[in-house]
Amino acid sequence: MSGQSLLVPGELSPTRSVPGNIRRPEYVGKPAPTPYTGPEVQTPETIEAMRRAGRIAARAMAEAAKLIAPGVTTDELDKVAHEYMCDHGAYPSTLGYRGFPKSLCTSVNEVICHGIPDSTVLRDGDIVNLDVTAYIGGVHGDNNATYLVGDVDEESRLLVERTRESLNRAIKAVKPGRQINVIGRVIESYAKRFGYGVVRDFTGHGINSSFHSGLIIPHYDSPHATTVIQPGMTFTIEPMLTLGTHEYDMWDDGWTVVTKDRKRTAQFEHTLVVTDSGAEILTLP
């Protein structure tokens, strides 16, 4: 693995503004969102709105990813994604969610998830995950991907490649009538082939008009994930694989989650809708 020094928190830039004509999620300005009490199976109208939100989220992530290079700060990536979403009439879902201060998450190297964009400078050999969610038309679309920064060592490159493949395999396992735990079973069995850890305490989730509906999608074979998959359900799958332990520490900011052994970790995510025969990805650019 790369011998890069471990991350430390950087400096936050001022909060970015969102044009007043863009609709805000209900949780903005509140300590927490209102709990979701609606169905997990969505109407065709909601699903179509989620296609639009997912497309904007995917394109915003792709625009930010174009900037990834040694010497670029994670705050610069936040600026690109923020401006793309606002320019297309969408609100950056993470901005103000439970107090999160930025418009996407940037998780570098040993950061499992929820890294806050700041003055941290990307270095040659880093890996960085961008997690972008857009809110438009009353619904959310959520996706993430891990990118290579410059010349990355083989161990890290393979981790990224195989984490992407674990998501692809999990999506193919989604079929009506199966239990949710088939998703984690596929991911965990694949990850074990390479000796990777599978993060357990951070999961995929139901998503619709709510950023997190309450439906949990574990990425390991959980005996408790017995919910039966139904056509019209919308949720994310977002496996987090590590080069070592699945255990983690939390930074003092209350958001940044790092591997306890500080080994590298990668993640990929799509928002899906269950169809009669499988799953459709809603977060395609």
Side-chain angles (χ1 to χ4, degrees), residues 4-8 68 72-75 77 105-131 145-149 159 251 256-259 262-267:
Q4 299 267 28
S5 58
L6 298 177
L7 289 170
V8 295
I68 291 173
V72 172
T73 67
T74 54
D75 186 68
L77 304 178
C105 300
T106 51
S107 300
V108 180
N109 295 344
E110 68 268 23
V111 179
I112 295 171
C113 58
H114 304 158
I116 301 174
D118 59 18
S119 61
T120 297
V121 176
L122 296 176
R123 303 162 296 181
D124 187 61
D126 283 344
I127 60 175
V128 58
N129 179 274
L130 305 185
D131 192 337
T146 302
Y147 299 89
L148 310 182
V149 185
L159 173 69
W251 280 6
T256 307
V257 180
V258 296
T259 54
R262 303 304 189 264
K263 291 185 177 181
R264 288 188 170 187
T265 175
Q267 182 184 18

Side-chain angles (χ1 to χ4, degrees), residues 163-221:
T163 305
R164 182 191 292 111
E165 176 62 16
S166 77
L167 173 59
N168 292 338
R169 290 175 179 234
I171 292 170
K172 290 175 182 175
V174 174
K175 305 285 184 188
R178 292 179 173 177
Q179 294 183 342
I180 287 291
N181 58 15
V182 70
I183 294 168
R185 189 175 309 130
V186 166
I187 292 168
E188 187 173 40
S189 64
Y190 180 71
K192 280 184 174 180
R193 288 167 50 180
F194 310 104
Y196 295 154
V198 181
V199 172
R200 301 166 78 89
D201 289 353
F202 299 89
T203 68
H205 52 88
I207 184 170
N208 38 65
S209 60
S210 173
F211 195 172
H212 299 88
S213 72
L215 177 66
I216 301 298
I217 312 294
H219 301 121
Y220 65 99
D221 187 4

Side-chain angles (χ1 to χ4, degrees), residues 7-251:
L7 289 170
V8 295
E11 296 295 322
L12 287 181
S13 65
T15 302
R16 303 190 197 282
S17 62
V18 177
N21 64 316
I22 292 177
R23 178 179 172 185
R24 272 76 169 150
E26 59 83 24
Y27 53 73
V28 173
K30 298 179 182 178
T34 302
Y36 179 72
T37 57
E40 298 297 346
V41 172
Q42 304 304 309
T43 66
E45 293 76 19
T46 295
I47 293 165
E48 184 56 37
M50 290 181 67
R51 284 192 188 94
R52 181 186 181 199
R55 190 160 52 242
I56 291 172
R59 290 175 177 172
M61 184 174 72
E63 284 300 307
K66 290 178 183 177
L67 201 66
I68 291 173
V72 172
T73 67
T74 54
D75 186 68
E76 291 174 83
L77 304 178
D78 180 79
K79 181 175 186 289
V80 171
H82 177 93
E83 290 179 351
Y84 185 93
M85 285 185 273
C86 291
D87 287 349
H88 290 81
Y91 185 91
S93 299
T94 61
L95 184 62
Y97 179 78
R98 297 184 181 270
F100 191 84
K102 292 295 174 182
S103 298
L104 80 164
C105 300
T106 51
S107 300
V108 180
N109 295 344
E110 68 268 23
V111 179
I112 295 171
C113 58
H114 304 158
I116 301 174
D118 59 18
S119 61
T120 297
V121 176
L122 296 176
R123 303 162 296 181
D124 187 61
D126 283 344
I127 60 175
V128 58
N129 179 274
L130 305 185
D131 192 337
V132 180
T133 310
Y135 178 79
I136 189 170
V139 297
H140 301 268
D142 186 2
N143 68 163
N144 76 55
T146 302
Y147 299 89
L148 310 182
V149 185
D151 185 17
V152 175
D153 67 89
E154 181 75 355
E155 186 179 38
S156 298
R157 188 189 65 77
L158 285 172
L159 173 69
V160 171
E161 180 182 299
R162 290 164 176 168
T163 305
R164 182 191 292 111
E165 176 62 16
S166 77
L167 173 59
N168 292 338
R169 290 175 179 234
I171 292 170
K172 290 175 182 175
V174 174
K175 305 285 184 188
R178 292 179 173 177
Q179 294 183 342
I180 287 291
N181 58 15
V182 70
I183 294 168
R185 189 175 309 130
V186 166
I187 292 168
E188 187 173 40
S189 64
Y190 180 71
K192 280 184 174 180
R193 288 167 50 180
F194 310 104
Y196 295 154
V198 181
V199 172
R200 301 166 78 89
D201 289 353
F202 299 89
T203 68
H205 52 88
I207 184 170
N208 38 65
S209 60
S210 173
F211 195 172
H212 299 88
S213 72
L215 177 66
I216 301 298
I217 312 294
H219 301 121
Y220 65 99
D221 187 4
S222 169
H224 306 295
T226 56
T227 299
V228 175
I229 298 170
Q230 302 177 61
M233 290 176 74
T234 50
F235 53 80
T236 73
I237 304 176
E238 45 188 297
M240 293 151 262
L241 306 187
T242 72
L243 289 175
T245 183
H246 68 269
E247 296 180 345
Y248 66 92
D249 292 321
M250 180 84 73
W251 280 6

